[in-house]
Amino acid sequence: MADTDKGIHDSVDAVLEQWRRERPDLPVAPVGVITRLARVRTHLDTALAEVFAGFDLTPADFQALVNLRRAGAPYQLGQARLMAALGLTSGTVSVRLTRLEQRGIVIREPDPDDKRSHTVRLTGKGLELFDRIAPLHLAGEELLLSALTPDEQTRLAALLRKLLTSFEHTGPHATRLWGMTLEPARIARRRRTAVGLSDHPGLLVTAITPDGPAAHAGIRPGDLLTHRDTVEIRTCEDLNPTTSGPVILRILRAEQPLDITIDPDQSASENP
């Protein structure tokens, strides 16, 4: 039982305290975020699975229904597209779809545009099943967040969005803004330290569009965007791309700090 005289602690607090005692030299602060995310996810998965089990479904089964329903009438997707949306291998998706097909929840048909593939369609029974589960599922999710006020949930969602975009907006999906291609802070730190530069968070410029706002401002590939005015830049949201007019950016060019003024209105802005 938590000792309320010393504040309410969770299981991760105990882990952190043990490391501070055993290895005070280790920078364990990230454990407070990463481990808590993992442990909260375990609690969420267990609770949500109970809802789906009442309908003889797994959470992954329901995700297949969700993707088909979200596609809109006639509630179908190519099997390859569904596989990509679920983040599963072809074999795993095939086994799952076979089970759902045997229950009459989905039907697979030859893809008219690709004879080697199939489309997957939600049946009337599948649509009715989704409509029964969805309200219970959403009510369960709302219940699981009861410890947080609506404002706290909004703030947490915003922080998680920033973190998730740092994983999703990279490589071929990297953000393009103001005539720049920008890699997130975790990629920037890794690439800078790999070539012997300081470990500094920011957005790494990897490409410049000729005649775009960034090119006119003199920004170059390899530059690190660290601040907009006095605001530290960790994600593209920190650039506040919806505003107009000149913007002062602090950059690191190798190890040299520079202030550069960029005018996003010099050409059409690119969307992330």
Side-chain angles (χ1 to χ4, degrees):
M1 184 173 179
D3 186 347
T4 54
D5 291 336
K6 298 180 180 179
I8 304 298
H9 300 290
D10 64 15
S11 57
V12 177
D13 285 317
V15 171
L16 293 171
E17 183 56 36
Q18 288 170 342
W19 281 123
R20 292 187 186 106
R21 182 184 69 241
E22 296 297 323
R23 287 291 304 275
D25 58 306
L26 291 177
V28 296
V31 173
V33 177
I34 302 298
T35 304
R36 282 191 175 97
L37 285 174
R39 294 190 181 188
V40 168
R41 174 64 187 269
T42 298
H43 287 290
L44 297 179
D45 285 348
T46 300
L48 294 175
E50 293 176 358
V51 175
F52 306 130
F55 295 88
D56 194 23
L57 294 174
T58 67
D61 291 334
F62 184 67
Q63 282 305 309
L65 272 64
V66 166
N67 279 275
L68 292 170
R69 178 61 183 86
R70 199 169 58 225
Y75 313 117
Q76 72 178 29
L77 291 170
Q79 186 164 327
R81 185 176 171 190
L82 182 60
M83 177 180 71
L86 296 174
L88 299 172
T89 64
S90 177
T92 303
V93 168
S94 182
V95 169
R96 182 161 298 137
L97 291 178
T98 296
R99 184 170 64 248
L100 295 176
E101 195 172 25
Q102 290 171 345
R103 293 181 57 187
I105 295 173
V106 304
I107 186 171
R108 279 183 284 188
E109 302 168 316
D111 189 336
D113 299 322
D114 185 354
K115 301 302 182 184
R116 299 169 298 175
S117 186
H118 291 79
T119 60
V120 184
R121 177 166 54 83
L122 202 59
T123 65
K125 180 180 178 180
L127 183 60
E128 185 271 338
L129 181 62
F130 172 85
D131 287 341
R132 288 167 57 201
I133 298 174
L136 297 176
H137 171 57
L138 293 173
E141 287 191 332
E142 190 276 333
L143 188 68
L144 291 170
L145 297 176
S146 296
L148 304 178
T149 67
D151 284 346
E152 288 171 335
Q153 292 179 36
T154 298
R155 293 199 298 274
L156 178 59
L159 291 174
L160 292 173
R161 182 187 302 111
K162 290 183 71 173
L163 184 59
L164 183 57
T165 57
S166 76
F167 290 97
E168 294 181 339
H169 293 193
T170 186
H173 305 292
T175 298
R176 290 178 294 277
L177 178 70
W178 302 340
M180 299 178 285
T181 300
L182 301 168
E183 286 285 355
R186 65 186 179 87
I187 301 295
R189 293 178 63 192
R190 183 180 300 157
R191 291 189 183 178
R192 281 179 60 86
T193 56
V195 296
L197 295 175
S198 60
D199 183 359
H200 200 296
L203 297 179
L204 182 65
V205 180
T206 58
I208 295 290
T209 301
D211 297 324
H216 284 291
I219 296 175
R220 305 173 187 172
D223 286 347
L224 185 74
L225 311 186
T226 64
H227 292 78
R228 171 181 171 146
D229 297 320
T230 59
V231 176
E232 186 177 12
I233 296 173
R234 294 279 181 148
T235 73
C236 288
E237 287 187 20
D238 299 323
L239 288 172
N240 198 7
T242 59
T243 60
S244 60
V247 174
I248 299 176
L249 297 177
R250 168 63 60 92
I251 72 170
L252 274 181
R253 180 165 294 160
E255 301 293 1
Q256 181 183 6
L258 298 170
D259 286 335
I260 291 182
T261 300
I262 184 171
D263 185 354
D265 299 325
Q266 282 190 301
S267 67
S269 296
E270 298 171 281
N271 293 320

